[in-house]
Amino acid sequence: MARTYVVTGSASGIGAATAKTLRDRGDRVIGIDLRDAEVAADLSTSAGRADAAARAIELSGGVIDGVIACAGISAPIAKTVSINYFGVTELLEQLVPALQKSDAPRAAVVSSMASLQANSAELVAAQLAGDEAKALEIAETFVVQGPEVGYITYPSSKRALARWVRRESITPTWAGNGIALNAVAPGTVITPMTEQLLATPEGRAMVDANVPMPLNYHQPAQSIVDVLVWLTNVENTHMAGQVIYCDGGADATLRGDDIWSWSD
Ligand code: NAI
């Protein structure tokens, strides 16, 4: 049966490919993006998120079966935490009432293998505490030191998002309402976000030094879409709180074979 999905970042890259895949198989998609979407909204602000959620719920008729949050940026600016963390978490929370009305509600977000990179514990903590003003203040202290230092806003936003998914997925709001909540963490995906960086040998070498991808190298958006779509399918009855590294083996390369010793 056709399902109703909300897809953020639907105008480009992974979000656009997700929306197309869902529409091609007969599902209904309400896209949210800055432009070229059913709902044009700016997810970097609280007002934009509230407006986006209200309009998406209205367009859906009140019942949303799946939410796939792809919108994000990788710029070394403070706004990165507003879009990549609060633009996902606040929006998702506001869509819960409509998800609750579905027979098989699911949500999936896009984190990144960058969640494994050097990040700021203080910035991650401010995001997880839901304190956007403080998070922006901390982010700005890195940004003013230039793009190399300012980049830390990106892995910090993706680390916080991955931790939010694990923390929230098992709560009454999500698991308690039967809503499967998970994340996908891509490696280097060929999209407009990475186009410029991958266009030069120097850019590629820089990316590859940080994102080792022994399995099949740089990935097409569809490799992420297929995981996002499965996570939000009716069939996903028991996967919750997972951050799935679909990254050509970057996570296994970087973290090695022992990620279980926390309980030893
Ligand atoms: P993209 O740049 O092609 O698409 C991102 C979309 O998000 C754009 O349509 C953009 O307009 C939208 N967006 C940005 N700011 C927004 C805002 N304030 N409000 C509403 N929409 C906004 O990028 P791509 O590659 O498709 O990225 C999708 C997600 O995947 C992002 O969260 C990104 O961090 C993540 N990711 C991408 C990787 C890559 O190598 N391309 C690797 C790992 C994660």
Side-chain angles (χ1 to χ4, degrees):
M1 221 174 63
R3 284 161 65 73
T4 299
Y5 283 82
V6 170
V7 177
T8 77
S10 61
S12 176
I14 297 168
T18 301
K20 181 178 184 322
T21 297
L22 293 170
R23 285 188 179 119
D24 285 352
R25 73 174 194 179
D27 287 320
R28 183 167 168 227
V29 175
I30 299 162
I32 301 177
D33 207 306
L34 289 169
R35 58 192 74 82
D36 301 327
E38 283 67 32
V39 175
D42 182 355
L43 297 174
S44 72
T45 69
S46 264
R49 293 163 207 147
D51 175 48
R55 283 158 63 202
I57 291 173
E58 194 186 331
L59 282 175
S60 75
V63 183
I64 294 171
D65 299 298
V67 180
I68 301 181
C70 302
I73 62 168
S74 62
I77 57 175
K79 219 184 193 182
T80 297
V81 305
S82 288
I83 298 170
N84 295 6
Y85 182 82
F86 296 99
V88 178
T89 59
E90 256 190 39
L91 182 79
L92 253 62
E93 278 160 0
Q94 291 174 43
L95 295 176
V96 165
L99 281 163
Q100 271 181 291
K101 299 204 181 90
S102 165
D103 294 335
R106 314 279 184 254
V109 311
V110 182
S111 174
S112 171
M113 69 66 63
S115 58
L116 304 171
Q117 295 173 340
N119 62 87
S120 156
E122 200 193 359
L123 179 52
V124 170
Q127 291 170 87
L128 285 168
D131 192 340
E132 188 169 0
K134 186 168 172 202
L136 286 171
E137 207 176 286
I138 298 167
E140 203 53 50
T141 65
F142 295 113
V143 169
V144 293
Q145 297 178 61
E148 266 175 46
V149 176
Y151 173 73
I152 204 167
T153 53
Y154 185 70
S156 301
S157 71
K158 295 300 188 179
R159 171 74 66 93
L161 183 60
R163 287 185 56 183
W164 180 84
V165 163
R166 287 186 68 82
R167 184 182 80 184
E168 294 301 316
S169 64
I170 50 176
T171 61
T173 303
W174 296 91
N177 280 317
I179 312 171
L181 171 64
N182 294 280
V184 179
T188 302
V189 188
I190 304 155
T191 69
M193 182 183 274
T194 50
E195 205 171 17
Q196 265 192 325
L197 207 53
L198 300 179
T200 63
E202 299 76 33
R204 280 197 299 278
M206 202 265 280
V207 172
D208 293 345
N210 292 300
V211 191
M213 298 180 70
L215 178 68
N216 293 330
Y217 200 43
H218 299 161
Q219 54 195 133
Q222 195 65 36
S223 64
I224 303 304
V225 173
D226 292 340
V227 184
L228 289 168
V229 167
W230 187 85
L231 287 172
T232 52
N233 268 348
V234 175
E235 291 89 325
N236 178 19
T237 55
H238 283 81
M239 194 182 285
Q242 295 305 300
V243 180
I244 316 241
Y245 288 85
C246 176
D247 61 0
D251 167 43
T253 305
L254 295 170
R255 278 202 293 178
D257 61 33
D258 184 11
I259 55 166
W260 291 276
S261 48
W262 64 275
S263 63
D264 293 347

